Each structure stands twice: as structure tokens, then as C-alpha cells.
């Protein structure tokens, strides 16, 4: 069903202060691009369409947006040259489609939640069709240091009058501490008319989106500043220090979600878990652990301290990985353990197996990666090197320091020792 909402994401800016060739919106936050997080928040309000205004790195930005939102109606408009936020919206206007309202947000504000966008839309809609037909809502925040932001100017009876940019503000206006966050909800019809009325008659000779709100108020229409409850949501990313700051906020949200699901995270401040990781109830994640996107961890597992679980790592229920163990494209079966100093790469490990301290799966021959299979209840002794492709079958054992070369053909329940490992005859 149509929601009547089109969302526009402004992401044409170059992001000069990032000092990076990468388009700003494609910088990574916990295993997902900044744009991915923004799109996710926008998708939360169930728009009919999302229009992304692109400039620098347009093709890459478009490809990433489509990858993140394969099922969304997405449109892309190239803004070149970039003559200001109002100009960006003018350029986007032909792609708004049939809608009742247009929500505008930025591609570099990844902490803004769907909830805040919903509140904004609810204010714009008001209580009647009359309200909704021509009103404007905008997100604002009360801040201690408003420098650099557009300030909200209110009348004596506290109604919205206009926004004045830092560079256009008088000294008195610079004292105002209600700032414009750059996130708006406009009634579609009047917006289309007002876009044609914008001028660049200001200190920066830019077309200001903010003037649209001033115009609406000047015409006597409802303009509603919606004060953001948590101003931290509006944190923008303009440089790498802000990226790090925002990354931590995103990280905390991810960790809180796992904790709410019954995952014990002993020290959130040293735990790195990407977007898109599943962890079962009753699992404990110990400090200084890095878990990358797509990793799957079952129930009642133990991970860390100092573990690194990379792409394709799977821990079945009650499995344990510990100190300085790295896993990649490997499954650790139910109740199996790899507690110390190991590298598990391209391995499939059955249930109840023990991977001794310092075990290495030598999966790479310099050209190709090869697989190792470890059977149920196998006991891999400390310091074993398994040269892949290889198999350590069910119930078999390797002695400490064994090097199991490719030519070894271990069978079930056998014990192999030595360097290179050779078969040890069975006793008695
Ligand atoms: C704008 C607002 C200001 C508000 C501030 C909040 C205007 C005129 N001012 O400031 O009131 O306090 O945001 O951060 O809108 N962009 C384009 N095309 C352009 C210009 C900008 O796509 O031609 C995009 C940028 O990529 C960025 C966003 O719009 O994501 C904001 O641009 P920025 O230059 O940071 O905003 P300001 O004009 O400083
Ligand atoms: Ca900015």
C-alpha cells in the first residue's frame, strides 16, 4: 500500500574534510556503509520511493544503494554543479513521483532513526487533511554550541519564522541556540511551487533549502519545528574523527540489540560486532573480540577474549573459541572447542572436537585456498599443522606438534604423530 511519502537523501557533497578519495556516504560503519544505515532508517518509514542526490562518485554510490535496498523503488539524480541544498532539491524534483509529502535528509547523518523521521512526518500530517495539504515540519535541536548551523528564528509568540544560516546571521541571531538539522517534511504540491521561487540572494550565493520553510511561514502556512529528543542522533560526519565517534554510537546500538536478546557482552567498549551477525541466547562474548558481518553464532557459546571471527565463521551451539583464535569460512560444530592461539581457515569441524592450542589449518598454497574436514570428537593436539586439503576423521587424534601433510591419509580413530606426521601403530 502506498504511504504517500517520497524520501530524498542529499549526498552530492564532496566531503572534502574526510581527506579521502572514497565518496563520503560509502565510508564504513560496523560492516555497513554510512549510506546503508541512512537508507535503512529511511526505509523504516515505508516510503514509496527514495531519491538519492549524487555527485562525487555517483556510480559507486548508486551501486551501493541498490545493493543495500534491492526491493526499494530507488531513483538517482546527478547534481552537477552543486549550487546548494535548495538546488539539490530542485534537481531531484522531477523524480519525486506521485506523492503527498517529501521527506528530505542527508547521506552523512547515519544515527538519525526511523522513529525520529516518523515523528517528523506525523507533525507534518497534523490532525486533518487541511493541515497536511500545505504544512512543513523540520527537525531542530537545542544545542550548547550552535556555531555553523542554521538557526531557527521564532516570533514573539514562539512560532516559526525562518532559518538564518551562520554566514547570514546577525550577532543577535547567532545567539539563538535552536538549530536546523537539515531534515524536513514538505507537503508535495506547495513544495513544487516554492522550489521555483528560490533565489541565491545570500552570503554564499547558494540556493538554500531552508528558505522553503521561511516562505511557507511567510505565506501563513503551518511550519512546525520538531525538537529532536536526543540531539546526538543528528551528529553529522564531516571528518574521520566524527566517523569514529559515530561508529561507536552505531556499535553500541548493535551491542545493545544482542544484549537484549540474551547475549552477555562483558565489555562493550572493547567488543566489535558488525551489522548482520546472529548470536544465540546464552552466549558470552568476552573482551577484545572482533566479529565481522555475516558470522553466525549459536546458543551457549563462548567467544573470546581476543578472538577474531571473520566472514563465513559459524559456531554451532555450545562451541567455544578463545584467546587469539581466528576463524574464517569455517564451521565449529556443536560443543567443539578451539580455545587458544589457532587459525581455523576453510575448515569444517564436527561436534565435540578439540582443537588444541596453536593449531594451524594451512589452507593457502600461495594460489588457492583448500578445505579441511575434522570429524566429530577428533582430538587435534597442540601445535598441529594440517596442510589442506586434508581430513582428520571422526575420533582420530594428532599428537602435539604433528604436521599432517597432504599425503597423510588418516582414518577414523587413528592416532598420528610427528613431523611430517606418520601413522603410529595401534597398541596391543
Ligand atoms: C545545512 C543547512 C543548515 C543546517 C545544516 C545542518 C542549508 C542552506 N543549510 O547547512 O541550516 O543547520 O545543513 O547540517 O541547507 N548537499 C548536496 N548538494 C549541495 C549542497 C549540499 O547534496 O549542493 C548535501 C551534502 O552532501 C550534505 C547536505 O547536503 O549531505 C548538507 O550540506 P552542507 O553543506 O553540509 O550543509 P550546510 O549548507 O552547511
Ligand atoms: Ca554539514
Amino acid at each position: 500500500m502506498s504511504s504517500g511519502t517520497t524520501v530524498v537523501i542529499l549526498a552530492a557533497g564532496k566531503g572534502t574534510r574526510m581527506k579521502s578519495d572514497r565518496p563520503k556516504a560509502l565510508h564504513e560503519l560496523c560492516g555497513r556503509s554510512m549510506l546503508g544505515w541512512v537508507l535503512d532508517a529511511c526505509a523504516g518509514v515505508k516510503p514509496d520511493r527514495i531519491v538519492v542526490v549524487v555527485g562525487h562518485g555517483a556510480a559507486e554510490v548508486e551501486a551501493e544503494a541498490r545493493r543495500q535496498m534491492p526491493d526499494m523503488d530507488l531513483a538517482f539524480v546527478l547534481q552537477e554543479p552543486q549550487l546548494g541544498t535548495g538546488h539539490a532539491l530542485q534537481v531531484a524534483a522531477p523524480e519525486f513521483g506521485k506523492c503527498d509529502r517529501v521527506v528530505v535528509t542527508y547521506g552523512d547523518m547515519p544515527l538519525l532513526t526511523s522513529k525520529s523521521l516518523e515523528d517528523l512526518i506525523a507533525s507534518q500530517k497534523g490532525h486533518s487533511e487541511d493541515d497536511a495539504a500545505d504544512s512543513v515540519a523540520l527537525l531542530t535541536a537545542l544545542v550548547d554550541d550552535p556555531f555553523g548551523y542554521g538557526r531557527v528564528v521564532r516570533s514573539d509568540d514562539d512560532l516559526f519564522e525562518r532559518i538564518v544560516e551562520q554566514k547570514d546571521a546577525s550577532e543577535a541571531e547567532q545567539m539563538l541556540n535552536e538549530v536546523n538539522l537539515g531534515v524536513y517534511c514538505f507537503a508535495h504540491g506547495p513544495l513544487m511551487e516554492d522550489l521555483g521561487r528560490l533565489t541565491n540572494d545570500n552570503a554564499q550565493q547558494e540556493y538554500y533549502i531552508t528558505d522553503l520553510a521561511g516562505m511557507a511561514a511567510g505565506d501563513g502556512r503551518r511550519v512546525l519545528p520538531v525538537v529532536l529528543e536526543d540531539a546526538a542522533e543528528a551528529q553529522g560526519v564531516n571528518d574521520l574523527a566524527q566517523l569514529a565517534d559515530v561508529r561507536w554510537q552505531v556499535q553500541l546500538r548493535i551491542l545493545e540489540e544482542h544484549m537484549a536478546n540474551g547475549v552477555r557482552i562483558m565489555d562493550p567498549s572493547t567488543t566489535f560486532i558488525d551489522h548482520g551477525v546472529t548470536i544465540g541466547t546464552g552466549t558470552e562474548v568476552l573482551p577484545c573480540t572482533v566479529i565481522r558481518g555475516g558470522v553466525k553464532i549459536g546458543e551457549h557459546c563462548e567467544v573470546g577474549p581476543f578472538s577474531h571471527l571473520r566472514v563465513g565463521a559459524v559456531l554451532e551451539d555450545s562451541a567455544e573459541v578463545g584467546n587469539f583464535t581466528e576463524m574464517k569460512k569455517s564451521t565449529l560444530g556443536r560443543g567443539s572447542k578451539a580455545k587458544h592461539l589457532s587459525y581455523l581457515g576453510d575448515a569444517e569441524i564436527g561436534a565435540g572436537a578439540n582443537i588444541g592450542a596453536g593449531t594451524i589449518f594451512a589452507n593457502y598454497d600461495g594460489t588457492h585456498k583448500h578445505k579441511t574436514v575434522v570429524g566429530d570428537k577428533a582430538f587435534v593436539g597442540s601445535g598441529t599443522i594440517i596442510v589442506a586439503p586434508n581430513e582428520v576423521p571422526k575420533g582420530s587424534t594428532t599428537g602435539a606438534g604433528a604436521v599432517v601433510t597432504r599425503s597423510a591419509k588418516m582414518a577414523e580413530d587413528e592416532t598420528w604423530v610427528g613431523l611430517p606426521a606418520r601413522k603410529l601403530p595401534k597398541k596391543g
Side-chain angles (χ1 to χ4, degrees):
M1 219 191 70
S2 164
S3 64
T5 302
T6 289
V7 172
V8 181
I9 299 173
L10 304 188
K14 193 143 191 292
T16 313
R17 279 175 287 163
M18 298 296 281
K19 307 264 170 78
S20 162
D21 292 336
R22 189 184 294 203
K24 197 207 267 189
L26 301 190
H27 280 269
E28 188 253 18
L29 295 166
C30 301
R32 190 183 213 185
S33 62
M34 185 145 68
L35 183 65
W37 290 107
V38 172
L39 284 165
D40 199 45
C42 293
V45 306
K46 308 251 183 311
D48 296 335
R49 163 178 274 203
I50 298 178
V51 182
V52 189
V53 180
V54 294
H56 182 63
E60 284 166 87
V61 174
E62 175 169 348
E64 168 63 6
R66 292 201 186 279
R67 202 176 69 79
Q68 290 286 339
M69 292 279 136
D71 301 324
M72 177 66 70
D73 178 2
L74 295 174
F76 298 85
V77 273
L78 185 67
Q79 187 200 10
E80 191 59 68
Q82 287 141 26
L83 306 178
T85 49
H87 177 246
L89 205 57
Q90 285 173 334
V91 173
E95 294 293 340
F96 290 166
K98 193 172 162 313
C99 61
D100 299 327
R101 67 198 72 80
V102 176
V103 171
V104 181
T105 186
Y106 293 163
D108 60 2
M109 229 193 258
L111 296 178
L112 193 70
T113 59
S114 299
K115 162 81 170 57
S116 297
L117 291 173
E118 270 164 14
D119 291 348
L120 177 77
I121 291 169
S123 293
Q124 192 278 330
K125 282 183 173 170
H127 300 292
S128 68
E129 275 189 30
D130 263 13
D131 284 351
D134 63 358
S135 45
V136 175
L138 61 137
L139 286 184
T140 71
L142 299 167
V143 297
D144 294 334
D145 178 13
F147 184 84
Y149 285 97
R151 313 293 206 285
V152 174
V153 181
R154 291 179 183 249
S155 64
D156 292 340
D157 45 5
D158 210 33
L159 293 177
F160 177 93
E161 261 183 8
R162 60 194 169 89
I163 296 162
V164 60
E165 292 303 295
Q166 174 72 39
K167 288 182 180 151
D168 300 295
S170 67
E171 259 176 56
E173 287 166 340
Q174 287 182 27
M175 302 297 286
L176 297 169
N177 74 337
E178 184 180 8
V179 300
N180 169 41
L181 299 176
V183 182
Y184 318 85
C185 182
F186 298 100
H188 181 214
L191 171 65
M192 295 306 275
E193 284 170 34
D194 293 346
L195 279 172
R197 294 162 68 192
L198 284 178
T199 65
N200 64 351
D201 183 14
N202 53 56
Q204 304 183 80
Q205 297 199 310
E206 282 183 5
Y207 295 89
Y208 288 170
I209 208 171
T210 47
D211 287 349
L212 296 166
M215 275 178 208
D219 290 352
R221 282 137 57 192
R222 288 189 336 141
V223 179
L224 302 137
V226 177
V227 182
L228 199 61
E229 275 168 38
D230 176 9
E233 271 189 34
Q235 172 70 57
V237 175
N238 295 300
D239 56 35
L240 293 176
Q242 287 173 334
L243 186 74
D245 193 27
V246 163
R247 194 212 74 82
W248 166 238
Q249 299 304 323
V250 172
Q251 183 64 89
L252 204 52
R253 286 184 192 173
I254 292 172
L255 298 176
E256 281 168 355
E257 215 172 291
H258 287 297
M259 290 189 272
N261 290 337
V263 177
R264 175 152 192 234
I265 295 173
M266 188 181 276
D267 180 17
S269 69
T270 62
T271 302
F272 299 74
I273 302 180
D274 277 351
H275 164 71
V277 171
T278 55
I279 309 182
T281 305
T283 285
E284 189 164 6
V285 180
L286 296 166
C288 303
T289 288
V290 178
I291 304 175
R292 294 297 182 196
V295 168
K296 291 189 171 60
I297 300 171
E299 297 182 356
H300 304 289
C301 293
E302 189 178 289
V303 180
F306 298 98
S307 295
H308 186 189
L309 305 185
R310 295 165 53 204
V311 58
V314 177
L315 268 66
E316 290 177 355
D317 293 349
S318 306
E320 298 183 11
V321 288
N323 313 266
F324 304 102
T325 292
E326 175 182 349
M327 268 180 89
K328 185 219 69 171
K329 279 195 191 158
S330 292
T331 298
L332 191 58
R334 193 186 178 91
S336 291
K337 296 178 186 182
K339 301 283 281 186
H340 328 273
L341 303 160
S342 292
Y343 174 60
L344 318 183
D346 301 290
E348 199 179 294
I349 299 162
N354 182 75
I355 308 297
T359 295
I360 304 292
F361 288 74
N363 59 331
Y364 186 49
D365 62 14
T367 315
H368 297 106
K369 302 280 169 68
H370 301 281
K371 194 170 170 178
T372 297
V373 176
V374 176
D376 293 349
K377 297 213 171 89
F379 186 94
V380 178
S382 296
T384 294
I385 295 178
I386 302 164
V387 184
N390 220 322
E391 187 178 356
V392 178
K394 189 174 164 194
S396 66
T397 299
T398 67
V403 176
V404 184
T405 58
R406 287 175 178 181
S407 57
K409 295 282 177 266
M410 294 179 66
E412 286 185 13
D413 301 318
E414 288 178 353
T415 297
W416 287 57
V417 301
L419 188 166
R422 63 209 142 71
K423 189 173 169 181
L424 190 69
K426 272 197 175 142
K427 278 183 199 150

